[in-house]
Every structure is written in C-alpha cells, then in structure tokens.
Amino acid sequence: MRAIVVSATGGPEVLTYTDLPDPEPNPGEVLVDVAASGVNFIDIYHRMGRYPLSLPFVPGNEGAGTVAAVGEDVEGVSIGDTVSWTNAMGSYASRAVVPASQLLAVPEGITAELAAAVTLQGLTAHYLTHSVHEVKPGDDVLVHAAAGGVGLLLTQIAKLRGARVIGTVSTDEKEILARQAGADEVLRYDGFTDAVRDLTGSGVHVVYDGVGATTFDASLASLRPRGMMALYGQSSGPVPPVDPQVLAQGGSLFLTRPALGPYTATREELAWRASDIFGWVASGDLKVHISGRYPLAEAARAHEDLEARRTTGKLLLLP
C-alpha cells in the first residue's frame, strides 16, 4: 500500500511518501480501502512532536472508505460497507486498519469524501455546542476562525440552535464564507473585543477559540460574567500559563480545554453525535465546504497551506 510516514519530527518535509506492506486486521479491527483522509491541525501537532508519538508512524486520524476485510470478533460491519472514523491513527494511506469501535456507518447519499470531510470536525462542533456549552436560543456566540473547517460547522450548528453568531476572520474572502454559513456579524481579529462589547453590551455567552495564543486574552475579555471560554485548539501556538484569578476578575468566568476523546468516550455518545451530524448533512441543514483536495503524495503541501492559514473549510488527501 501507499502511505505517508514520519520517521523524525519536524516541518512538512518529514512527511515521506512510500510503499508499505499491506496491513491485516487483528481481532476487533477492520481493514479499509481509504477513499479520502481528512487533514487536521492535530496532524501538524503530531508531525512537529508537540503531541509526541512513537516513531516512525503513519499520520492522520480521520478518514473514510470501503471495508476490505474484517477481523475476528467484529459484528455489524461487512466487506463493502462505506465507513468513516476518527481517533484512529494511520489514515494518510491507501489502506488503514481501524478499531471497529471507532467506525461509523456512512448513510446512503453521503459520499466517502464528504464523510471524511465532516467526521472529526463535525463531531468537534457537536460536542462544543451540545456539551461543553449547550447553545440556547438567544445566546451570543463568538466563533474564531469562522471560515475554517470547524468554524464553518460551529457557525451553522449554533444558528440551528437559535444563537446569534459573531465570527472572526482574516480576509474579505473568508468573511463571505462565514456570512454564507450564517454568521450574523463578522469581525477582523484586530480590536475584536471592543467590537464584541459594542454588539452585545455585556459580552458573549461563549467563545469557541481554536486559535490559541494570539486570541486568548482578548477572548476572555469578550465574555460576559459567568461566560464560557472553550479553547479547543491552538493554531497560533500554545497559550502561556494562566493565573486563575483572571477568571474571577472577568466575572467568575469558566475556562475549559476540551478534546474529542472524552466527549466520544462511549459508543452511545459517539453514535449520537455522528447521527446528528450525518442527519444534518443529508437534510442540507449542514453544508460542508471542501476547499482543497490533494494527492496523498502531496501531504506536505497540504500541511504547508493549512499552517499558513491560506485555506478555508476542509482539506482532504486522496490516495
């Protein structure tokens, strides 16, 4: 099979395109012919060693494709099924072995490419809006990087739940995308705290911040008393240590650093979130913007584009 291998951490140049022996599924696992692999910021963190993994490894923890073989003790999955997954490493390849517990059945009418584009980021947007802070009608919600993969989905889901969405973007092109997704107001990053205060009076109920270092302090300052700061990523770099007293001074604020794993810890929770996401995609209530499709061999270029923030929506690798 063809795959990307990381033998040493570093820049995009460490993503090596090579041939590997075809894997076989162990008990409880399924072999999938990969149709598309999602490219996410966590892949960059793995490649850089910010989230260390044992070397060498095949990166990528999101994908979709067709079941090619089923290991022992696997039920409810058959050869030929279209499936997607996340939280399982090795998707930057033409074939991947995935724990059956992580597989999601892709409904009729949703292509494998579309499933690969929405699984990780859709589940992320779901847990942020349904569990980290349960968005309610009338809530004021601040979404950073509103034209990014998660940002576009967050905006749409928050609107489905009746919120007013304020998005931040860096360019006019990205503003158009954010507004098409339903954002009520779209701001640039410079001075966004004052603009948020002007729009809301007392601040927003929740900030969804996947940017990190460059937005963190201003995000906290954009919250109303007892507001929630959900720092779910750090595309601009890690946030320095925080004095908890800052939360008290802001009005008894809440700060959380959530991750997908604990919010899909049971099969029932994973299935609930996936059912909602795929249902909204099938009905047209949730639109997925795929802005880039790259050959698997050009994974380094996809990483370069994502790190440089030249992209919108979702990037895919195609074997």
Side-chain angles (χ1 to χ4, degrees):
M1 72 174 192
R2 299 171 303 280
I4 297 293
V5 174
V6 174
S7 298
T9 57
E13 70 280 357
V14 305
L15 298 170
T16 303
Y17 183 64
T18 188
D19 290 322
L20 294 177
D22 279 347
E24 294 188 4
N26 293 315
E29 296 178 337
V30 171
L31 177 66
V32 181
D33 287 327
V34 179
S37 307
V39 180
N40 299 287
F41 260 100
I42 193 170
D43 305 339
I44 293 172
Y45 304 153
H46 287 150
R47 187 205 76 214
M48 295 171 63
R50 187 172 292 171
Y51 297 167
L53 297 173
S54 298
L55 297 168
F57 65 88
V58 176
N61 70 346
E62 176 188 36
T66 304
V67 174
V70 177
E72 297 178 6
D73 303 323
V74 173
E75 298 180 355
V77 181
S78 301
I79 293 174
D81 287 352
T82 301
V83 295
S84 71
W85 66 91
T86 186
N87 279 343
M89 290 295 297
S91 69
Y92 281 21
S94 58
R95 298 194 124 186
V97 170
V98 183
S101 60
Q102 292 301 121
L103 286 180
L104 298 168
V106 176
E108 291 284 338
I110 297 179
T111 66
E113 270 196 23
L114 193 55
V118 78
T119 295
L120 187 152
Q121 293 179 337
L123 292 172
T124 298
H126 191 284
Y127 84 71
L128 288 171
T129 54
H130 287 65
S131 301
V132 170
H133 172 85
E134 188 176 355
V135 175
K136 300 177 180 63
D139 276 2
D140 286 318
V141 173
L142 178 58
V143 176
H144 285 311
V150 177
L152 288 171
L153 301 178
L154 272 173
T155 297
Q156 294 176 76
I157 295 173
K159 290 301 296 179
L160 287 174
R161 295 182 68 84
R164 175 169 67 156
V165 176
I166 303 169
T168 57
V169 298
S170 57
T171 67
D172 291 345
E173 175 195 9
K174 292 181 178 182
E175 177 175 349
I176 291 170
L177 288 173
R179 290 192 183 279
Q180 289 174 343
D184 298 280
E185 306 287 347
V186 181
L187 310 173
R188 298 299 184 267
Y189 290 99
D190 289 343
F192 71 80
T193 298
D194 290 339
V196 166
R197 291 286 177 180
D198 289 341
L199 289 168
T200 62
S202 58
V204 295
H205 293 83
V206 60
V207 179
Y208 294 121
D209 190 338
V211 177
T214 61
T215 54
F216 182 81
D217 291 338
S219 291
L220 281 179
S222 299
L223 289 168
R224 66 175 56 204
R226 295 167 58 180
M228 168 67 76
M229 168 78 164
L231 180 71
Y232 68 90
Q234 51 187 37
S235 62
S236 69
V239 174
V242 178
D243 181 355
Q245 184 61 24
V246 172
L247 305 179
Q249 293 167 350
S252 296
L253 304 179
F254 294 88
L255 170 63
T256 183
R257 179 57 175 91
L260 179 59
Y263 285 95
T264 52
T266 66
R267 182 67 192 179
E268 292 75 18
E269 192 172 27
L270 176 62
W272 162 50
R273 301 194 193 282
S275 177
D276 280 356
I277 293 299
F278 286 144
W280 291 328
V281 171
S283 69
D285 289 329
L286 187 63
K287 294 179 171 54
V288 182
H289 177 63
I290 302 172
S291 66
R293 294 173 172 85
Y294 301 73
L296 179 62
E298 297 182 17
R301 183 165 66 89
H303 276 220
E304 289 169 357
D305 289 345
L306 185 59
E307 283 183 274
R309 301 177 75 172
R310 290 191 288 262
T311 65
T312 57
K314 187 69 177 188
L315 305 184
L316 295 177
L317 297 178
L318 307 181

